[in-house]
Amino acid sequence: MILRSVISIDSPVGRLLSRLLILEALMLLVPLGVCVALGERDWTAFAVAVAVSGIAGAGGGILFRGSSSRLTRRDAFLLISLVWVCFSAVSMIPFMMSGARLSAGGAFFESVSGFTTTGATVLDDVESMGHGVLLWRAMTQWLGGLGIVLFLIALLPSLNGSGGLMMFNAEITGMTHDKLHPRIKQTAMSLWLVYTALTLVLIVLLLCGGMSFFDSVCQAFATLSTGGFSTRNASIASWHSPYIATVIGLFMMLGGMNFALLYHACRGNVRAVFKNEVFRVYVAVIAVCVLVNGAFAMLHGETAGEPGATAVASFFHVTSAITSTGFSYSDYALWGALPMLLTVILMITGACAGSTTGAVKIDRVIAACRNMTREITHTVYPSHVKKVKVTGKLIDDQLMLRVVGFIGLYLLIFAIGFMVMAAYSYGTFDSIFASASCLGNNGLGCGATASGFGSLPEPVKWVFSLQMLVGRLEIFPVLALFLPSFWTKR
């Protein structure tokens, strides 16, 4: 059914997918140019990837040039899933043919980790990689941050109607989706403008902190996208700079915010940010966790007895965990059992909907908690009527069922992931931590994955790759493809 929908001459999916593959080919020219300019041998790997993506895109453009422009909801869901898989498949080529020499499973894992902004890596020595490979890793995260399809919506006038809106709703994270403008193209362009502006500001601030231009660009791309791929083996700890850690921590927080709120703030409506209930809960959770982790770090951490350094380390780690960025600045494993447990909870909870982060999202957690309170109240007082609201918006029963179903499926997929890893004789907590990290698009490691995911067996890498994809697309658009009714109803 899936293949028939794609290869059908009348299918808009094939035409749009072809355009996106051409876009990826153009993106790949950037690291190719860097390799050529610096005399790195990896240029051949990127040249092959450009050729594969370009030929596939151009061939598809010719084959589907007469296809229908009408995009159904089914087409939108199918396109969203195929784009992420196809982009990751093409991106495997540089990782397999360059100096990285990764296996198929490892290359797919690294590619998916990039586009889904997970940041988990299978590379043992990042610093030995060429500039082209490092830049490509950062670029995949930056593009995947707001969404590959959202970028296409901003570029193509033909997606300014209901088709673009369906694709927007299928890719943007969260329970509900707010349009900033009447036209979906304007909304996409506004979001990308804010995203790009913040990235440029961060590059400048990192340059002021002593980073090189190349490192600043790569770290900024990975920070705003809440991705976490670094150009150094020790991640942000490599610079030994509280200034850099603080700046990146603050911008990770911004990446964890709803970008619609950031857009309003950039236009001068700062009150809209502080009036937003989800944002206030987001800040409160960070503050509480920073205090708790900081207390344990003062006793057991690398900076024990140094309040200033400990505060920076605690703030950085908490924001890295809750925003699913996965950057490292300190050895948080030394802090004790409670901080590690809080880290897992933060990785599962996540930040705000409409951001570049992964995981369940605070919006859903608030809604689920209020629904639980309502059900308890209803048990005691059956005639009592109580509505669930989040940020002043009514959550109707149908949407609440979707929220509860999402959380249930999320926890089920999370359990499957850690059981698969545990089946290979890895420790229980290591397996739980790794599964939460991949499904939540986080990238942090612990125990067996503390120094990377490269040592995991190939089957586990494939399972975690699927987890990353399902987590980034928020489960329903992917699982819907496996329902027979999805293919029989228009």
Side-chain angles (χ1 to χ4, degrees):
M1 281 293 188
I2 295 178
L3 183 61
R4 189 190 309 169
S5 295
V6 177
I7 65 175
S8 171
I9 300 299
D10 295 328
S11 172
V13 176
R15 178 169 56 86
L16 292 172
L17 184 59
S18 300
R19 293 183 180 184
L20 281 163
L21 286 172
I22 292 175
L23 171 64
E24 185 172 20
L26 295 174
M27 287 176 53
L28 283 159
L29 289 174
V30 178
L32 171 60
V34 169
C35 289
V36 172
L38 298 178
E40 296 177 350
R41 295 180 180 179
D42 291 342
W43 73 268
T44 54
F46 286 103
V48 171
V50 169
V52 170
S53 189
I55 292 172
I62 296 172
L63 180 64
F64 299 107
R65 62 183 181 276
S67 65
S68 169
S69 59
R70 178 178 173 269
L71 196 71
T72 65
R73 185 175 181 82
R74 184 178 73 180
D75 293 331
F77 278 12
L78 176 59
L79 178 63
I80 291 294
S81 297
L82 285 175
V83 164
W84 291 83
V85 173
C86 291
F87 264 54
S88 299
V90 171
S91 183
M92 290 172 61
I93 298 173
F95 293 120
M96 295 179 71
M97 296 184 62
S98 68
R101 297 298 178 192
L102 296 179
S103 63
F108 189 70
F109 183 99
E110 194 78 10
S111 300
V112 171
S113 182
F115 282 116
T116 61
T117 71
T118 302
T121 184
V122 296
L123 297 175
D124 296 326
D125 185 5
V126 172
E127 293 177 24
S128 68
M129 297 296 105
H131 288 77
V133 171
L134 294 178
L135 179 60
W136 177 240
R137 292 166 84 237
M139 288 176 63
T140 58
Q141 295 205 315
W142 194 75
L143 182 64
L146 277 186
I148 299 169
V149 173
L150 188 65
F151 190 66
L152 184 69
I153 293 172
L155 292 178
L156 295 181
S158 60
L159 294 177
N160 204 24
S162 59
L165 180 60
M166 284 186 288
M167 291 165 62
F168 176 84
N169 289 332
E171 187 172 58
I172 294 295
T173 60
M175 297 186 298
T176 58
H177 308 111
D178 297 325
K179 289 172 61 181
L180 300 176
H181 303 284
R183 294 181 179 275
I184 195 63
K185 177 182 172 66
Q186 291 176 298
T187 296
M189 290 183 68
S190 296
L191 293 175
W192 272 101
L193 181 62
V194 171
Y195 188 54
T196 303
L198 289 174
T199 304
L200 293 175
V201 170
L202 180 54
I203 290 173
V204 173
L205 291 176
L206 293 178
L207 285 170
C208 293
M211 270 195 192
S212 68
F213 178 73
F214 179 80
D215 284 335
S216 297
V217 170
C218 291
Q219 257 62 225
F221 280 7
T223 300
L224 260 300
S225 65
T226 60
F229 273 156
S230 180
T231 54
R232 302 292 179 90
N233 292 332
S235 191
I236 306 304
S238 177
W239 282 275
H240 306 287
S241 170
Y243 167 82
I244 288 176
T246 302
V247 168
I248 289 180
L250 290 172
F251 275 80
M252 285 192 292
M253 275 192 70
L254 292 177
M257 287 175 57
N258 187 319
F259 269 75
L261 283 181
L262 287 174
Y263 173 78
H264 291 308
C266 291
R267 291 179 61 87
N269 188 11
V270 181
R271 290 183 61 188
V273 176
F274 293 100
K275 287 173 62 178
N276 185 273
E277 178 187 19
V278 175
F279 173 74
R280 294 199 303 269
V281 173
Y282 172 54
V283 173
V285 170
I286 291 176
V288 171
C289 291
V290 167
L291 289 174
V292 173
N293 281 359
F296 279 83
M298 279 289 290
L299 296 173
H300 309 293
E302 298 167 307
T303 57
E306 302 175 33
T310 299
V312 171
S314 180
F315 169 69
F316 187 94
H317 175 68
V318 170
T319 53
S320 180
I322 195 172
T323 62
S324 75
T325 307
F327 274 141
S328 294
Y329 180 67
S330 57
D331 190 355
Y332 50 88
L334 298 175
W335 297 355
L338 181 59
M340 292 299 289
L341 181 59
L342 279 178
T343 300
V344 173
I345 293 172
L346 291 173
M347 289 196 297
I348 293 174
T349 302
C352 307
S355 66
T356 59
T357 62
V360 172
K361 306 292 188 303
I362 289 177
D363 309 55
R364 290 192 181 96
V365 174
I366 294 173
C369 289
R370 288 186 177 163
N371 183 61
M372 180 174 61
T373 303
R374 180 181 67 168
E375 292 303 317
I376 293 172
T377 303
H378 186 70
T379 300
V380 180
Y381 305 103
S383 61
H384 182 76
V385 177
K386 185 176 181 180
K387 300 294 184 181
V388 175
K389 290 184 178 181
V390 178
T391 62
K393 296 181 180 178
L394 181 66
I395 308 297
D396 60 40
D397 290 341
Q398 183 177 0
L399 181 55
M400 184 55 66
L401 284 173
R402 184 179 175 88
V403 169
V404 174
F406 177 89
I407 294 175
L409 281 171
Y410 190 95
L411 294 177
L412 176 62
I413 296 169
F414 158 67
I416 291 172
F418 83 70
M419 284 191 290
V420 169
M421 183 170 169
Y424 282 86
S425 300
Y426 287 95
T428 302
F429 190 78
D430 288 1
S431 302
I432 289 173
F433 200 98
S435 182
S437 182
C438 289
L439 182 59
N441 303 132
N442 193 290
L444 287 173
C446 170
T449 56
S451 58
F453 290 69
S455 62
L456 297 180
E458 290 290 290
V460 178
K461 291 177 186 174
W462 284 105
V463 170
F464 281 169
S465 297
L466 294 176
Q467 272 196 322
M468 288 188 278
L469 283 169
V470 171
R472 174 58 182 83
L473 296 177
E474 299 216 313
I475 301 176
F476 291 127
V478 178
L479 297 187
L481 302 181
F482 298 94
L483 291 176
S485 59
F486 183 81
W487 300 103
T488 56
K489 296 178 182 180
R490 299 299 293 182

Coordinates of all heavy atoms in Angstrom, one line a residue, residues 407-463:
I407 N 0.7 9.2 25.8 CA 1.6 8.9 27.0 C 1.7 7.4 27.2 O 2.8 6.9 27.4 CB 1.1 9.6 28.2 CG1 1.2 11.2 28.1 CG2 1.8 9.2 29.5 CD1 0.6 11.9 29.2
G408 N 0.5 6.7 27.0 CA 0.6 5.3 27.2 C 1.4 4.6 26.1 O 2.2 3.7 26.4
L409 N 1.3 5.0 24.9 CA 2.1 4.4 23.8 C 3.6 4.8 24.0 O 4.5 4.0 23.7 CB 1.6 4.9 22.4 CG 0.3 4.3 21.9 CD1 -0.2 5.0 20.7 CD2 0.6 2.8 21.5
Y410 N 3.8 6.0 24.4 CA 5.2 6.5 24.6 C 5.9 5.5 25.7 O 7.0 5.1 25.4 CB 5.2 7.9 25.1 CG 6.6 8.5 25.2 CD1 7.0 9.3 24.1 CD2 7.4 8.4 26.3 CE1 8.3 9.9 24.1 CE2 8.7 9.0 26.3 CZ 9.1 9.7 25.2 OH 10.3 10.3 25.2
L411 N 5.2 5.3 26.8 CA 5.8 4.5 27.8 C 6.0 3.0 27.4 O 6.9 2.3 27.7 CB 4.9 4.5 29.1 CG 4.9 5.9 29.8 CD1 3.9 5.8 31.0 CD2 6.3 6.3 30.2
L412 N 5.0 2.5 26.5 CA 5.1 1.2 26.0 C 6.3 1.0 25.1 O 7.1 0.1 25.2 CB 3.8 0.8 25.2 CG 3.8 -0.5 24.5 CD1 4.0 -1.7 25.5 CD2 2.5 -0.7 23.7
I413 N 6.5 2.0 24.2 CA 7.7 2.0 23.2 C 9.0 2.1 24.0 O 10.0 1.5 23.7 CB 7.5 3.1 22.2 CG1 6.3 2.8 21.3 CG2 8.8 3.1 21.3 CD1 5.9 3.9 20.4
F414 N 9.0 3.0 25.0 CA 10.1 3.1 25.9 C 10.5 1.8 26.6 O 11.6 1.4 26.6 CB 9.8 4.2 27.0 CG 10.6 4.1 28.2 CD1 12.0 4.4 28.2 CD2 10.0 3.8 29.4 CE1 12.7 4.3 29.4 CE2 10.8 3.8 30.6 CZ 12.1 4.0 30.5
A415 N 9.5 1.1 27.1 CA 9.7 -0.2 27.7 C 10.3 -1.3 26.7 O 11.2 -2.0 27.1 CB 8.4 -0.7 28.3
I416 N 9.7 -1.2 25.5 CA 10.3 -2.2 24.5 C 11.7 -1.9 24.2 O 12.5 -2.9 24.1 CB 9.4 -2.0 23.2 CG1 8.0 -2.6 23.4 CG2 10.1 -2.8 22.0 CD1 7.1 -2.3 22.2
G417 N 12.1 -0.6 24.1 CA 13.5 -0.3 23.9 C 14.4 -0.8 25.0 O 15.5 -1.4 24.7
F418 N 14.1 -0.5 26.2 CA 15.0 -0.9 27.3 C 15.0 -2.4 27.4 O 16.1 -3.0 27.9 CB 14.8 -0.1 28.6 CG 13.7 -0.6 29.5 CD1 13.9 -1.8 30.2 CD2 12.6 0.1 29.7 CE1 12.9 -2.3 31.1 CE2 11.6 -0.3 30.6 CZ 11.8 -1.5 31.3
M419 N 13.9 -3.1 27.1 CA 13.9 -4.6 27.2 C 14.8 -5.2 26.1 O 15.5 -6.2 26.4 CB 12.5 -5.1 27.2 CG 11.7 -4.9 28.5 SD 10.2 -5.8 28.5 CE 9.2 -4.9 27.3
V420 N 14.8 -4.6 24.9 CA 15.7 -5.1 23.9 C 17.1 -5.0 24.3 O 17.9 -5.9 24.1 CB 15.4 -4.3 22.6 CG1 16.5 -4.7 21.5 CG2 14.0 -4.7 22.0
M421 N 17.5 -3.8 24.8 CA 18.9 -3.6 25.3 C 19.2 -4.6 26.4 O 20.3 -5.2 26.5 CB 19.1 -2.2 25.6 CG 20.6 -1.9 26.0 SD 20.9 -0.1 26.2 CE 22.5 -0.1 27.0
A422 N 18.3 -4.7 27.4 CA 18.5 -5.6 28.5 C 18.7 -7.0 28.1 O 19.4 -7.8 28.7 CB 17.4 -5.4 29.5
A423 N 18.1 -7.4 27.0 CA 18.2 -8.8 26.5 C 19.6 -9.1 26.0 O 19.9 -10.3 26.0 CB 17.2 -9.0 25.3
Y424 N 20.4 -8.1 25.8 CA 21.8 -8.3 25.4 C 22.7 -8.2 26.7 O 23.9 -7.9 26.6 CB 22.2 -7.3 24.4 CG 21.8 -7.7 23.0 CD1 20.5 -7.3 22.6 CD2 22.6 -8.4 22.1 CE1 20.0 -7.6 21.3 CE2 22.1 -8.7 20.8 CZ 20.9 -8.3 20.4 OH 20.4 -8.7 19.2
S425 N 22.1 -8.4 27.8 CA 22.9 -8.5 29.1 C 23.4 -7.2 29.6 O 24.4 -7.2 30.4 CB 24.0 -9.5 29.0 OG 23.5 -10.8 28.7
Y426 N 22.8 -6.1 29.2 CA 23.2 -4.8 29.7 C 22.4 -4.6 31.0 O 21.4 -5.1 31.2 CB 22.9 -3.7 28.7 CG 23.8 -3.6 27.6 CD1 23.5 -4.2 26.4 CD2 25.1 -3.0 27.7 CE1 24.4 -4.2 25.3 CE2 25.9 -2.9 26.6 CZ 25.6 -3.6 25.4 OH 26.5 -3.5 24.3
G427 N 23.0 -3.7 31.9 CA 22.3 -3.4 33.2 C 21.0 -2.8 33.0 O 20.7 -2.1 32.0
T428 N 20.1 -3.0 34.0 CA 18.7 -2.5 34.0 C 18.7 -0.9 33.8 O 18.0 -0.4 32.9 CB 17.9 -2.9 35.2 OG1 17.9 -4.3 35.3 CG2 16.5 -2.4 35.1
F429 N 19.5 -0.2 34.7 CA 19.4 1.2 34.7 C 20.1 1.8 33.4 O 19.6 2.7 32.8 CB 20.1 1.8 35.9 CG 19.9 3.3 36.0 CD1 18.7 3.8 36.5 CD2 20.8 4.2 35.6 CE1 18.4 5.2 36.5 CE2 20.6 5.6 35.7 CZ 19.4 6.1 36.2
D430 N 21.1 1.1 32.9 CA 21.8 1.6 31.7 C 20.8 1.4 30.5 O 20.7 2.3 29.6 CB 23.0 0.7 31.4 CG 24.2 1.0 32.3 OD1 24.0 1.9 33.2 OD2 25.2 0.4 32.2
S431 N 20.0 0.3 30.5 CA 19.0 0.1 29.4 C 17.9 1.1 29.5 O 17.5 1.6 28.5 CB 18.5 -1.3 29.5 OG 19.5 -2.3 29.5
I432 N 17.4 1.4 30.7 CA 16.3 2.4 30.9 C 16.8 3.7 30.4 O 16.1 4.5 29.7 CB 15.9 2.4 32.4 CG1 15.1 1.1 32.7 CG2 15.0 3.6 32.7 CD1 14.8 1.0 34.2
F433 N 18.0 4.1 30.8 CA 18.6 5.4 30.5 C 18.7 5.6 29.0 O 18.4 6.6 28.4 CB 19.9 5.6 31.2 CG 20.4 7.0 31.3 CD1 20.2 7.7 32.5 CD2 21.0 7.7 30.3 CE1 20.6 9.1 32.6 CE2 21.4 9.0 30.4 CZ 21.2 9.7 31.6
A434 N 19.3 4.6 28.3 CA 19.5 4.6 26.9 C 18.2 4.7 26.1 O 18.1 5.4 25.1 CB 20.3 3.4 26.4
S435 N 17.2 3.9 26.5 CA 15.9 3.9 25.8 C 15.2 5.3 26.0 O 14.7 5.8 25.0 CB 15.0 2.8 26.4 OG 13.8 2.7 25.7
A436 N 15.3 5.8 27.2 CA 14.7 7.1 27.5 C 15.4 8.2 26.7 O 14.8 9.1 26.1 CB 14.7 7.5 29.0
S437 N 16.7 8.1 26.5 CA 17.5 9.0 25.8 C 17.2 9.0 24.3 O 17.0 10.1 23.7 CB 19.0 8.7 26.0 OG 19.8 9.7 25.3
C438 N 17.0 7.8 23.7 CA 16.8 7.7 22.3 C 15.3 8.1 21.9 O 15.1 8.8 21.0 CB 17.1 6.3 21.8 SG 18.9 6.0 21.7
L439 N 14.4 7.6 22.7 CA 13.0 7.8 22.4 C 12.6 9.3 22.6 O 11.9 9.9 21.9 CB 12.0 7.0 23.2 CG 10.5 7.1 23.0 CD1 10.2 6.8 21.5 CD2 9.8 6.2 23.9
G440 N 13.3 9.9 23.6 CA 13.1 11.3 23.9 C 13.9 12.3 23.1 O 14.0 13.5 23.3
N441 N 14.7 11.7 22.1 CA 15.6 12.5 21.3 C 16.6 13.3 22.1 O 16.8 14.5 21.8 CB 14.8 13.4 20.3 CG 13.8 12.7 19.5 OD1 12.7 13.0 19.4 ND2 14.3 11.6 18.8
N442 N 17.1 12.7 23.1 CA 18.0 13.4 24.1 C 19.5 13.2 23.8 O 20.2 14.2 23.5 CB 17.7 12.9 25.5 CG 18.3 13.8 26.5 OD1 19.5 13.8 26.7 ND2 17.4 14.5 27.2
G443 N 20.0 12.0 23.8 CA 21.4 11.8 23.5 C 22.3 11.6 24.6 O 23.5 11.2 24.4
L444 N 21.9 11.9 25.8 CA 22.7 11.7 27.0 C 23.0 10.2 27.2 O 22.1 9.3 26.9 CB 22.1 12.2 28.3 CG 22.1 13.7 28.4 CD1 21.2 14.1 29.6 CD2 23.5 14.3 28.5
G445 N 24.1 9.8 27.7 CA 24.5 8.4 28.0 C 24.8 8.2 29.4 O 25.1 9.1 30.2
C446 N 24.7 6.9 29.8 CA 25.0 6.5 31.2 C 25.6 5.1 31.2 O 25.0 4.2 30.5 CB 23.8 6.6 32.1 SG 23.9 5.9 33.7
G447 N 26.6 4.8 32.0 CA 27.1 3.5 32.0 C 27.6 3.0 30.7 O 28.6 3.5 30.2
A448 N 26.9 2.0 30.1 CA 27.4 1.4 28.9 C 27.4 2.4 27.7 O 28.1 2.2 26.7 CB 26.5 0.2 28.5
T449 N 26.6 3.5 27.8 CA 26.5 4.4 26.7 C 27.1 5.8 27.1 O 26.9 6.8 26.4 CB 25.1 4.7 26.3 OG1 24.3 5.1 27.4 CG2 24.5 3.4 25.7
A450 N 27.9 5.8 28.2 CA 28.4 7.1 28.7 C 29.4 7.7 27.7 O 29.4 8.9 27.5 CB 29.1 6.9 30.0
S451 N 30.1 6.9 27.0 CA 31.1 7.4 26.0 C 30.6 7.2 24.6 O 31.4 7.4 23.6 CB 32.4 6.6 26.2 OG 32.2 5.2 26.0
G452 N 29.3 6.9 24.4 CA 28.7 6.8 23.1 C 28.0 5.5 22.9 O 28.0 4.6 23.8
F453 N 27.2 5.4 21.8 CA 26.4 4.3 21.5 C 27.0 3.3 20.5 O 26.4 2.4 20.1 CB 25.0 4.7 21.0 CG 24.2 5.4 22.0 CD1 24.5 6.7 22.5 CD2 23.0 4.8 22.5 CE1 23.7 7.3 23.5 CE2 22.2 5.5 23.4 CZ 22.6 6.7 23.9
G454 N 28.3 3.6 20.2 CA 29.0 2.7 19.2 C 29.2 1.3 19.6 O 29.3 0.4 18.7
S455 N 29.3 1.0 20.9 CA 29.6 -0.4 21.3 C 28.3 -1.2 21.3 O 28.4 -2.5 21.6 CB 30.2 -0.3 22.7 OG 29.3 0.2 23.6
L456 N 27.1 -0.7 21.1 CA 25.9 -1.5 21.2 C 25.8 -2.4 20.0 O 26.3 -2.1 18.9 CB 24.7 -0.5 21.2 CG 24.5 0.4 22.4 CD1 23.3 1.3 22.2 CD2 24.5 -0.4 23.7
P457 N 25.2 -3.6 20.2 CA 25.0 -4.5 19.0 C 24.2 -3.9 17.9 O 23.4 -3.0 18.2 CB 24.3 -5.7 19.7 CG 24.6 -5.6 21.1 CD 24.7 -4.1 21.4
E458 N 24.4 -4.3 16.7 CA 23.7 -3.7 15.5 C 22.2 -3.8 15.7 O 21.5 -2.8 15.4 CB 24.1 -4.5 14.3 CG 25.5 -4.2 13.8 CD 25.7 -2.8 13.3 OE1 25.2 -2.4 12.3 OE2 26.4 -2.0 14.1
P459 N 21.6 -4.9 16.2 CA 20.1 -4.9 16.3 C 19.6 -3.8 17.3 O 18.6 -3.2 17.0 CB 19.8 -6.3 16.8 CG 21.0 -7.2 16.4 CD 22.1 -6.2 16.4
V460 N 20.4 -3.6 18.3 CA 20.0 -2.5 19.3 C 20.0 -1.2 18.6 O 19.2 -0.3 18.9 CB 20.8 -2.6 20.6 CG1 20.5 -1.5 21.5 CG2 20.7 -4.0 21.2
K461 N 21.1 -0.9 17.8 CA 21.2 0.3 17.1 C 20.0 0.6 16.2 O 19.4 1.7 16.1 CB 22.5 0.4 16.3 CG 23.7 0.4 17.1 CD 25.0 0.4 16.2 CE 26.2 0.3 17.0 NZ 27.4 0.1 16.2
W462 N 19.5 -0.5 15.5 CA 18.4 -0.3 14.6 C 17.1 -0.1 15.4 O 16.3 0.8 15.0 CB 18.2 -1.6 13.8 CG 19.2 -1.7 12.6 CD1 20.3 -2.5 12.6 CD2 19.2 -1.0 11.4 NE1 21.0 -2.4 11.4 CE2 20.3 -1.4 10.6 CE3 18.4 0.0 10.9 CZ2 20.6 -0.9 9.4 CZ3 18.6 0.5 9.6 CH2 19.8 0.1 8.9
V463 N 16.9 -0.7 16.5 CA 15.8 -0.5 17.4 C 15.8 0.9 17.9 O 14.7 1.6 17.9 CB 15.7 -1.5 18.5 CG1 14.6 -1.1 19.5 CG2 15.4 -2.9 18.0

